[in-house]
Amino acid sequence: MAKKKTALKVKKGVEPPPSVNAEAVKRFQTRKAKVMPPQYYVEGILKSDRTILAKAITLIESTLPRHRKAASEILERCLPHSGNSVRIGITGVPGAGKSTFIEAFGKHLTGLGHKVAILAIDPSSGRSKGSILGDKTRMETLSADPMAFIRPSASAGSLGGVARKTYESIILCEAAGYDVVIVETVGVGQSETEARSMVDFFLLLMLAGAGDELQGIKRGIIEMSDAIIVNKADGNNIEAANRALAQYKNALHLFSPPPSGWTPLTGKCSALNNEGIDAVWEMIEAYVKLTKENGYFVENRKEQQIKRFHNNLADNLVNKFYEDEEVKRLLPELEEKIKNKKIDVYSAAENLIRGYLRK
Ligand code: GDP
């Protein structure tokens, strides 16, 4: 029988024409997506079903009220099954080799029998094509590994919103049995502080042959790192890598010792050649052993939770305050008075808060 001819045949590898609005397609698809009862997701997650885990994370990322409602129920029921993992933050400027490193590192871990989940905090991915981390071609080998679960950053929202979704995703991944959870960020901004507040171990990936000024890494990020690993220590770069190592070792000496009791370490690797990757994992295992023995591991997680609770309280209160009708009415008046030096800022703030609380 002759093959049916159609102009609409989709050829593998052929990109859809630019006229197709990807956002519109996505919206159409998500609108049609059926929400199952929370039990379905919880059972699937506990059975470590990757497809159901991914669907549950989609609910977490959604802003639709009915999705949020289902998401919080799923979360609540997964919470007792969470916590049993090593949470690792990995950061570095674009080009430092994060995805190459995570791919090699992840493969090493799954080879050792670990189940590895990779999440990302990348608020830039909300801006159309501006994502720094969300490139789909990354970590191709690892994504085909049944022991690994890779989730690009939530695609919209403020840094706080994206970070919250990432944290909630950690809980679901742990409930699904992932015992190593990696949170990746781009080492250029605020995302690192968010990532730091949800992981046990924070790793900064640097390039050999470029000073840290060149790499735009802020002092604060170095200060919050448990390890600085110089990547691309291969070929002509080896000497530069050694020089960089010495430099970072010195930089780390300048900071007071962290409360974990761990002395931040430096190391080098070649993610491309798969060299030094095992040593990084050994370093993390040593950290976990030390901090579990001295109690910091558990204490730190509790403290992170309490901080998250307070931050959330503060955010919620601020939002409620600014949404208040009376506040909305009085705010411009007070701003005008401040500009005209009719009232000082402190009294203005106090008056407004007092007015809000008296209602
Ligand atoms: P990311 O932007 O931090 O995720 O960096 P990528 O993993 O995409 O790597 C950026 C470039 O550096 C790619 O061309 C990689 O092939 C290359 N690269 C990554 N790791 C190494 C390494 O260990 N040695 C060398 N020579 N190149 C590497």
Side-chain angles (χ1 to χ4, degrees):
M1 203 172 87
K3 263 196 185 160
K4 209 172 150 192
K5 280 193 182 142
T6 164
L8 289 174
K9 212 164 89 183
V10 178
K11 282 213 178 90
K12 206 180 159 206
V14 174
E15 289 289 318
S19 58
V20 174
N21 180 340
E23 275 307 304
V25 172
K26 206 169 145 201
R27 241 179 285 134
F28 178 69
Q29 285 169 340
T30 43
R31 196 171 296 156
K32 285 193 86 180
K34 194 173 168 228
V35 182
M36 304 292 284
Q39 182 72 11
Y40 165 83
Y41 299 97
V42 176
E43 278 172 10
I45 289 170
L46 296 181
K47 270 192 246 154
S48 204
D49 183 320
R50 285 197 299 180
T51 314
I52 296 182
L53 171 63
K55 282 183 183 160
I57 294 180
T58 303
L59 288 181
I60 276 180
E61 290 172 351
S62 168
T63 45
L64 293 180
R66 70 192 172 103
H67 288 178
R68 288 293 324 157
K69 193 167 168 282
S72 41
E73 194 171 334
I74 296 165
L75 255 177
E76 202 167 293
R77 287 164 68 180
C78 282
L79 203 57
H81 304 276
S82 72
N84 197 18
S85 80
V86 179
R87 302 171 182 169
I88 305 167
I90 295 184
T91 195
V93 293
K98 291 179 298 300
S99 33
T100 314
F101 176 85
I102 293 172
E103 171 130 288
F105 187 63
K107 285 302 287 178
H108 176 65
L109 292 176
T110 58
L112 292 174
H114 293 286
K115 285 185 73 178
V116 185
I118 293 124
L119 308 168
I121 302 180
D122 176 14
S124 65
S125 60
R127 285 176 232 139
S128 63
K129 284 181 184 164
S131 172
I132 310 180
L133 293 174
D135 177 346
K136 281 191 204 100
T137 57
R138 303 163 82 241
M139 305 179 215
E140 266 170 359
T141 338
L142 192 59
S143 50
D145 188 330
M147 300 281 276
F149 177 79
I150 303 177
R151 180 80 182 189
S153 179
S155 63
S158 61
L159 170 60
V162 173
R164 173 184 171 164
K165 287 162 190 170
T166 307
Y167 176 72
E168 292 176 342
S169 306
I170 293 181
I171 302 298
L172 299 197
C173 289
E174 288 177 347
Y178 290 87
D179 64 338
V180 179
V181 180
I182 295 173
V183 178
E184 182 187 3
T185 61
V186 197
V188 287
Q190 271 296 303
S191 320
E192 288 61 52
T193 317
E194 292 286 351
R196 187 69 195 94
S197 73
M198 60 179 86
V199 299
D200 307 307
F201 189 93
F202 196 70
L203 191 157
L204 171 59
L205 207 62
M206 297 293 252
L207 286 149
D212 59 21
E213 325 75 53
L214 278 176
Q215 297 185 38
I217 290 288
K218 300 206 170 60
R219 186 191 143 96
I221 295 178
I222 295 187
E223 198 168 6
M224 65 170 87
S225 302
D226 295 301
I228 300 180
I229 303 297
V230 179
N231 187 33
K232 308 198 186 183
D234 47 44
N236 296 332
N237 248 340
I238 293 183
E239 250 180 55
N242 288 335
R243 276 199 304 276
L245 261 183
Q247 193 187 333
Y248 298 137
K249 220 174 251 174
N250 281 336
L252 284 174
H253 277 313
L254 300 176
F255 301 119
S256 46
S260 56
W262 169 259
T263 311
L265 293 177
T266 48
K268 58 181 174 179
C269 72
S270 167
L272 201 63
N273 300 344
N274 220 340
E275 287 164 5
I277 304 297
D278 46 353
V280 174
W281 176 240
E282 281 165 20
M283 193 187 274
I284 296 172
E285 279 187 311
Y287 173 90
V288 172
K289 186 169 181 289
L290 174 89
T291 54
K292 282 200 169 163
E293 277 169 9
N294 69 14
Y296 180 80
F297 191 93
V298 174
E299 269 318 301
N300 181 46
R301 279 205 182 171
K302 283 184 189 161
E303 223 168 84
Q304 288 180 338
Q305 281 294 77
I306 299 299
K307 253 189 216 154
R308 190 165 297 115
F309 169 61
H310 281 284
N311 288 346
N312 193 256
L313 270 179
D315 287 352
N316 264 326
L317 279 176
V318 168
N319 287 344
K320 286 210 166 65
F321 178 79
Y322 282 109
E323 280 160 13
D324 184 76
E325 288 307 321
E326 187 68 358
V327 170
K328 275 192 205 162
R329 189 179 67 77
L330 289 173
L331 206 57
E333 287 175 20
L334 281 168
E335 283 175 353
E336 209 44 47
K337 281 187 182 166
I338 291 169
K339 282 184 205 158
N340 297 326
K341 298 185 177 168
K342 297 254 169 59
I343 190 168
D344 73 277
V345 287
Y346 304 103
S347 313
E350 215 161 280
N351 287 352
L352 194 56
I353 292 169
R354 214 175 285 139
Y356 173 73
L357 292 177
R358 222 180 268 133
K359 289 195 315 122

